[in-house]
Amino acid sequence: KCQPIIFQVSITNQSQWDEVLLTKGVLVIDVYQAWCGPCKAVVNLFRKLKNEFSEDDLLHFAVAEADSIVTLKPFRNQCEPVFLFCVNGKIISIVKGANAPLLNKKITELVEEERKVLAGEKERPELFYVFHNFFHPFPTEGVRYSVAIIKPDAVSEGRVEEIKKKITGAGFSIAAEEEKLLTEEQIRVFYARNTEQPDFDDFLQFMMSGPCHILVIAKKESAKAIPHWKDLSESSENEPDELDTQKQDRLETEELLSFCDVQDSIEDASRQLAFFFPNFGKQNTGQHVERTLALIRPLLLKERRDSIIQRIRDDGFKIAMQKEIVLSEEQARQFYKEHENEDYFPALLEQMTSGPTLALALTRVNAVERWRELLGPKIVDEAKKNNPTSLRAEYAVDSVPIDQLHGSSSPGDAQKELKFFFPQEHTLALIKPDAVKEHKGDIMQKVKDAGFAISKIKEASLTREMAMQFYKDHEGKPFYDSLVTCMTAGPSVVMVLTKENAVEEWRQLMGPTDPEEAKLTSPESIRAQFAQDILSNAVHGSST
């Protein structure tokens, strides 16, 4: 079924994929897109390694077309080479990009390890399936983990705690959890086995209609491969008069858990654990890195902005995101809704709408607790008397009774408040033709390193009519014709990027429009590093 291309097996459908994955030893798979074909840059390296390790026939190579293999659906529409490493049928690692030294090192290490295993010099390590950039073994010996998603309708109906209670009541523990809007890529990864179903597009839209609640669930090792919902509704041998109650409980459980999905294989569980919780299972040091919201209110921001920001940094906080915003009365009322019956509420409302407020997402170990310790008591006079070195005492504004700084009260409040000021956004990003030719891989890496999720991606050549329409706002300006010509010189990479505060953060990552200005003011930006001139300036992003 599989025809060799020199020394690489060609895989073009799912049945061939399943067959090739049975290969014993180390298998290196070049996953490619139909429009560009396999990576030619590494062929000579792979041929050299194949010859070097030819004696024991442990090393094998294949090329696989992502567009025609269901298992590889998460890798479709990628703009860089992807190499999967498979040992005895399990995909255990991944390298993105044609990084010859890294590929050489990885392949050599795997072959040498396999030789030692076969020679009886060491035991075979337990291997797990991985997609994306993480290899993640289950972190606690004797315990199995899986990822569960509570769907948007259950979250919006307030049934998360009810479902969690049912899960923990059945002997499972919840090792980690997070509430977030899922991107299309994340949903396709989790439901990779369902993507060929005819109604999957409708289901995709439903899963993106609101936030989901993602859980890492755990249970002690048993005959079962991973924690499974069947465990929650299986009955034990009880007395006959308990059967009706038991049956009713089972029906309620099944109805409740219809709001929640979990996959049922070790491979899927390991892949999803790494995808949704990449830091899960790292050595526990007793310290927890958190995010919290800090607000610098208008009067203090105007008078002592630089000083308070320096104090924040001096205490070891990192400013992950920041936004200067003038709150409307409606927004201020919504944010401080819990305080609306307090005597000080009118003064608070007046102050919060009097000018720009600086919202900061702060990160560090135990950020919520530490930021509140730094702030001190909420009442300014009490702060001055009992904790004169606190920020609220030090940065009090004369004749203003309301403190000038805000901090989240708890991790739960921090999550809600951060969503208020930094909602998850989508923005359009475009790598222009000149940069696609020379710097596509480097720019894509900077996008990922900045924490953006690429929700949609395609490579397309703009027609002159499309470019004219896209830049219609610039029509009549002296540079308009030259801009259109630049944009039609070849294919562009068009992406939808998703992240909290995505619009502003993408504009910061791009840098100023003029690359000469970017080199002076934002030397790490994309335009500073990869742009040619003010027209061929590498990338485009939405303004607002």
Side-chain angles (χ1 to χ4, degrees):
K1 293 181 180 177
C2 304
Q3 299 299 319
I5 301 178
I6 312 175
F7 58 94
Q8 293 172 298
V9 173
S10 177
I11 311 171
T12 57
N13 57 53
Q14 185 66 42
S15 63
Q16 291 179 3
W17 170 269
D18 295 338
E19 180 183 336
V20 171
L21 230 62
L22 298 175
T23 303
K24 296 295 182 182
V26 177
L27 174 65
V28 182
I29 306 171
D30 173 3
V31 179
Y32 67 91
Q33 314 300 314
W35 56 268
C36 67
C39 180
K40 296 179 181 178
V42 296
V43 170
N44 288 337
L45 170 66
F46 287 174
R47 184 183 290 110
K48 180 177 78 74
L49 289 169
K50 178 69 174 175
N51 291 333
E52 286 180 7
F53 296 113
S54 60
E55 291 181 11
D56 37 21
D57 197 31
L58 283 180
L59 180 60
H60 312 278
F61 293 91
V63 293
E65 184 184 318
D67 305 82
S68 58
I69 299 167
V70 174
T71 304
L72 298 179
K73 199 157 190 176
F75 295 102
R76 294 177 189 174
N77 298 318
Q78 301 277 334
C79 290
E80 59 184 335
V82 173
F83 301 93
L84 302 181
F85 298 84
C86 183
V87 176
N88 283 356
K90 298 290 184 184
I91 298 172
I92 63 161
S93 190
I94 178 175
V95 169
K96 290 191 174 183
N99 187 332
L102 179 58
L103 289 167
N104 183 69
K105 180 174 181 289
K106 172 69 72 175
I107 293 169
T108 302
E109 287 175 351
L110 289 175
V111 173
E112 293 295 347
E113 182 177 76
E114 187 66 9
R115 279 177 170 171
K116 291 178 181 178
V117 169
L118 294 176
E121 297 175 15
K122 66 177 291 186
E123 292 186 6
R124 183 181 300 282
E126 189 171 12
L127 302 174
F128 294 91
Y129 196 87
V130 59
F131 274 149
H132 297 267
N133 289 321
F134 312 106
F135 166 60
H136 220 297
F138 294 116
T140 303
E141 188 174 354
V143 178
R144 290 293 187 187
Y145 294 83
S146 189
V147 176
I149 293 182
I150 301 177
K151 300 174 189 174
D153 51 350
V155 175
S156 65
E157 293 170 15
R159 305 191 71 177
V160 171
E161 292 304 319
E162 186 183 0
I163 293 172
K164 286 166 58 180
K165 187 176 180 181
K166 179 66 71 173
I167 292 169
T168 55
F172 294 87
S173 61
I174 295 173
E177 59 185 301
E178 181 181 8
E179 193 165 298
K180 64 190 294 184
L181 283 166
L182 298 184
T183 65
E184 179 178 341
E185 180 189 17
Q186 290 169 328
I187 296 166
R188 289 187 180 278
V189 166
F190 189 85
Y191 294 99
R193 297 175 184 269
N194 306 91
T195 53
E196 297 304 313
Q197 295 180 3
D199 57 351
F200 185 76
D201 286 344
D202 292 338
F203 176 74
L204 189 65
Q205 295 305 312
F206 160 68
M207 290 298 292
M208 295 172 67
S209 65
C212 294
H213 201 90
I214 308 169
L215 307 171
V216 175
I217 59 171
K219 202 169 189 181
K220 287 291 179 85
E221 186 91 66
S222 68
K224 296 182 184 299
I226 62 166
H228 198 283
W229 290 145
K230 290 177 182 177
D231 298 348
L232 275 67
S233 55
E234 286 178 345
S235 61
S236 57
E237 295 182 4
N238 292 321
E239 297 298 322
D241 59 356
E242 295 178 350
L243 292 178
D244 288 343
T245 303
Q246 205 177 68
K247 182 178 179 182
Q248 180 61 31
D249 286 346
R250 256 198 328 273
L251 291 172
E252 290 176 0
T253 297
E254 289 169 3
E255 187 271 334
L256 188 63
L257 295 178
S258 68
F259 290 100
C260 191
D261 282 334
V262 65
Q263 303 296 354
D264 57 0
S265 75
I266 288 177
E267 289 84 357
D268 285 339
S270 183
R271 169 170 57 89
Q272 292 155 8
L273 186 66
F275 188 71
F276 288 104
F277 294 89
N279 295 315
F280 182 71
K282 290 185 177 177
Q283 185 175 1
N284 184 9
T285 62
Q287 297 180 315
H288 181 46
V289 177
E290 294 178 326
R291 295 194 307 173
T292 191
L293 177 76
L295 294 181
I296 305 175
R297 293 181 172 136
L299 285 175
L300 178 59
L301 184 66
K302 182 179 179 181
E303 295 180 7
R304 303 183 69 182
R305 175 191 187 121
D306 293 341
S307 174
I308 183 63
I309 288 178
Q310 190 58 50
R311 280 292 306 274
I312 289 169
R313 290 188 168 130
D314 288 346
D315 198 70
F317 286 95
K318 290 184 178 179
I319 299 174
M321 295 182 286
Q322 60 180 303
K323 177 187 288 185
E324 196 168 304
I325 181 173
V326 178
L327 294 175
S328 67
E329 182 175 333
E330 181 183 357
Q331 288 173 319
R333 284 184 180 277
Q334 182 183 350
F335 186 74
Y336 288 108
K337 186 175 177 60
E338 295 177 0
H339 303 268
E340 61 184 354
N341 295 323
E342 302 292 341
D343 293 339
Y344 58 76
F345 186 70
L348 176 63
L349 200 63
E350 180 181 358
Q351 186 184 145
M352 291 303 297
T353 56
S354 64
T357 291
L358 185 63
L360 303 171
L362 304 181
T363 66
R364 60 158 283 168
V365 171
N366 298 323
V368 175
E369 181 181 348
R370 180 57 187 158
W371 178 237
R372 293 193 65 76
E373 287 175 0
L374 275 181
L375 289 178
K378 288 185 177 180
I379 299 172
V380 174
D381 289 342
E382 183 182 335
K384 290 180 177 179
K385 181 180 178 181
N386 299 329
N387 195 348
T389 61
S390 67
L391 296 182
R392 282 177 171 143
E394 183 179 343
Y395 289 94
V397 175
D398 292 340
S399 75
V400 178
I402 294 175
D403 67 275
Q404 293 300 299
L405 294 158
H406 168 88
S408 305
S409 300
S410 67
D413 285 345
Q415 188 175 0
K416 293 176 187 175
E417 292 174 358
L418 286 166
K419 284 183 179 179
F420 182 89
F421 283 96
F422 302 100
Q424 191 174 64
E425 296 174 337
H426 301 296
T427 190
L428 180 81
L430 187 145
I431 305 177
K432 297 182 178 181
D434 56 288
V436 169
K437 293 177 186 176
E438 302 291 336
H439 305 296
K440 179 172 67 174
D442 293 327
I443 293 173
M444 295 288 293
Q445 191 60 51
K446 287 185 76 73
V447 169
K448 293 170 185 175
D449 290 346
F452 288 96
I454 301 174
S455 301
K456 293 271 191 179
I457 185 169
K458 67 178 178 180
E459 193 160 314
S461 295
L462 299 185
T463 64
R464 187 167 184 83
E465 290 72 21
M466 290 168 68
M468 291 171 68
Q469 181 64 30
F470 190 70
Y471 286 105
K472 189 174 179 63
D473 290 347
H474 298 299
E475 190 173 5
K477 295 178 181 178
F479 59 82
Y480 178 68
D481 287 339
S482 298
L483 178 60
V484 170
T485 299
C486 286
M487 293 303 298
T488 55
S492 298
V493 174
V494 190
M495 299 175 284
V496 175
L497 303 183
T498 302
K499 189 185 181 184
E500 293 166 321
N501 208 30
V503 175
E504 178 60 30
E505 293 212 9
W506 173 236
R507 294 197 66 76
Q508 290 178 8
L509 184 61
M510 287 193 300
T513 305
D514 186 345
E516 295 306 316
E517 180 187 347
K519 288 172 186 176
L520 294 174
T521 61
S522 305
E524 296 301 313
S525 67
I526 291 172
R527 285 171 173 155
Q529 295 181 357
F530 306 118
Q532 295 178 13
D533 53 49
I534 199 167
L535 289 181
S536 299
N537 60 359
V539 285
H540 167 88
S542 305
S543 300
T544 62

